[in-house]
């Protein structure tokens, strides 16, 4: 349960802050209707990540993997950003140095107009060539829903295209890692809607804190990432961020 002191405390920190970094996970999109991974009704309850979100799974059965991403693309295409996305988009325009590092591949932060978004795990709206043919850019955007054929072809070589997401066992793009690392030098680091169990993303908040940032966590599960937090606001992001924004506006 969030406390007025907690909300007011975070608002005070944000009012003084110049450099604000936000780390988000699937929970931020839950109110938009995008399923989380590990929460109630989470994707990994019905599907096995090793069967759908690894390179080995794709080489074994690319059609099965694409059917799953196609289902998620269709689902996300029907969703709209919620109040949490809106507040964070407003912050991205308000703070001189604002960075949003998201694990979400749904593109809802961008659709809300958020500036300076780092897609830590890629995007469900991007594709890449499975063969790495070089005949096409490493990643290209394609929001066709549904694709006329699965797997969709690579425009460069006609071979299979793969989803532009980071699968389990795959490294984070070094330039993305470097950008996220720079964002950890901040005054306030807000962590919203992540179970903080998947690394390296789960290690970012602790590193920001070691560098002196004030870390606040927003999650209905008060234990998620609490070990790295100065403040835990146990509630839904769409409600808590709305309260924080009201406190900021009320100054
Ligand atoms: N507001 C804030 N947090 C919420 C909300 C909400 N409305 N609803 C649920 N949550 C919290 C849950 O309590 C849970 O801690 O969001 C978290 C979602 O956790 P996960 O489903 O594990 O999602 P995430 O942390 O983003 O997963 C990390 O794992 O499966 C991979 O690559 C995938 O990026 C993903 C990564």
């Amino acid at each position: 349960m969030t406390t007025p002191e907690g909300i007011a405390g975070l608002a005070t920190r944000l009012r003084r802050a110049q450099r604000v970094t936000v780390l988000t996970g699937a929970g931020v999109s839950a109110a938009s209707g995008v399923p989380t991974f590990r929460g109630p009704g989470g994707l990994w309850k019905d599907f096995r990540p090793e069967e759908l979100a690894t390179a080995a799974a794709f080489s074994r059965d690319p059609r099965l993997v694409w059917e799953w991403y196609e289902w998620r693309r269709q689902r996300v295409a029907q969703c709209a950003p919620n109040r949490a996305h809106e507040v964070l988009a407003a912050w991205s325009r308000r703070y001189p140095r604002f960075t949003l590092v998201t694990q979400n591949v749904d593109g809802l932060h961008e659709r809300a107009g958020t500036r300076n978004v780092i897609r830590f795990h890629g995007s469900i709206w991007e594709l890449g060539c499975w063969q790495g043919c070089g005949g096409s850019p490493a990643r290209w955007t394609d929001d066709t829903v549904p694709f006329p054929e699965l797997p969709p072809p690579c425009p460069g070589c006609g071979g299979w295209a793969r989803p532009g997401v980071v699968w389990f066992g795959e490294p984070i793009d070094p330039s993305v890692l470097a950008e996220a690392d720079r964002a950890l030098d901040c005054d306030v680091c807000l962590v919203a809607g992540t179970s903080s169990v998947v690394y390296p993303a789960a290690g970012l908040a602790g590193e920001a804190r070691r560098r002196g940032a004030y870390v606040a966590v927003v999650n209905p599960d008060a234990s998620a990432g609490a070990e790295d937090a100065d403040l835990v606001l146990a509630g839904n992001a769409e409600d808590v961020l709305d309260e924080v924004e009201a406190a900021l506006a009320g100054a």
Side-chain angles (χ1 to χ4, degrees):
M1 208 276 299
T2 59
T3 62
E5 298 74 35
I7 299 282
L10 178 54
T12 302
R13 293 275 179 170
L14 285 166
R15 237 175 260 115
R16 291 201 299 249
Q18 291 287 313
R19 304 167 300 163
V20 173
T21 294
V22 177
L23 311 175
T24 66
V28 166
S29 293
S32 297
V34 181
T36 65
F37 293 92
R38 295 171 188 83
L43 291 171
W44 297 146
K45 293 261 177 306
D46 305 326
F47 305 100
R48 291 156 46 84
E50 57 280 5
E51 279 173 13
L52 292 162
T54 64
F58 189 85
S59 57
R60 232 186 353 259
D61 190 343
R63 189 180 172 81
L64 174 71
V65 171
W66 261 116
E67 280 168 357
W68 187 60
Y69 281 96
E70 179 86 308
W71 169 75
R72 291 178 61 197
R73 286 163 58 103
Q74 287 178 2
R75 186 81 183 258
V76 172
Q78 289 148 13
C79 297
N82 63 62
R83 182 64 182 144
H85 297 109
E86 290 164 9
V87 170
L88 295 172
W91 293 4
S92 76
R93 295 186 289 271
R94 187 180 304 155
Y95 290 97
R97 288 187 50 197
F98 176 94
T99 306
L100 187 140
V101 181
T102 188
Q103 297 170 83
N104 300 348
V105 296
D106 57 31
L108 291 180
H109 284 300
E110 296 90 330
R111 278 172 56 193
T114 312
R115 295 178 179 169
N116 207 16
V117 176
I118 298 177
R119 299 176 182 150
F120 207 68
H121 291 163
S123 170
I124 209 171
W125 303 110
E126 286 187 350
L127 281 68
C129 177
W130 172 241
Q131 286 81 19
C133 71
S136 55
R139 288 282 182 270
W140 64 91
T141 299
D142 187 333
D143 54 13
T144 311
V145 174
F147 281 115
E149 63 177 304
L150 292 179
C154 162
C157 68
W160 294 330
R162 58 159 288 168
V165 301
V166 179
W167 282 328
F168 289 100
E170 291 188 322
I172 304 290
D173 180 316
S175 63
V176 168
L177 264 182
E179 256 192 286
D181 184 74
R182 280 193 292 277
L184 302 181
D185 297 313
C186 58
D187 305 311
V188 173
C189 177
L190 180 92
V191 183
T194 180
S195 55
S196 294
V197 297
V198 174
Y199 284 78
L204 299 175
E207 179 56 24
R209 194 165 186 225
R210 276 187 290 283
R211 296 183 194 179
Y214 179 82
V215 175
V217 168
V218 177
N219 194 316
D221 169 3
S223 66
E227 65 281 2
D228 292 323
D230 298 289
L231 172 71
V232 173
L233 296 170
N236 288 334
E238 62 276 16
D239 304 327
V240 173
L241 294 180
D242 186 55
E243 287 177 61
V244 175
E245 188 66 352
L248 286 167

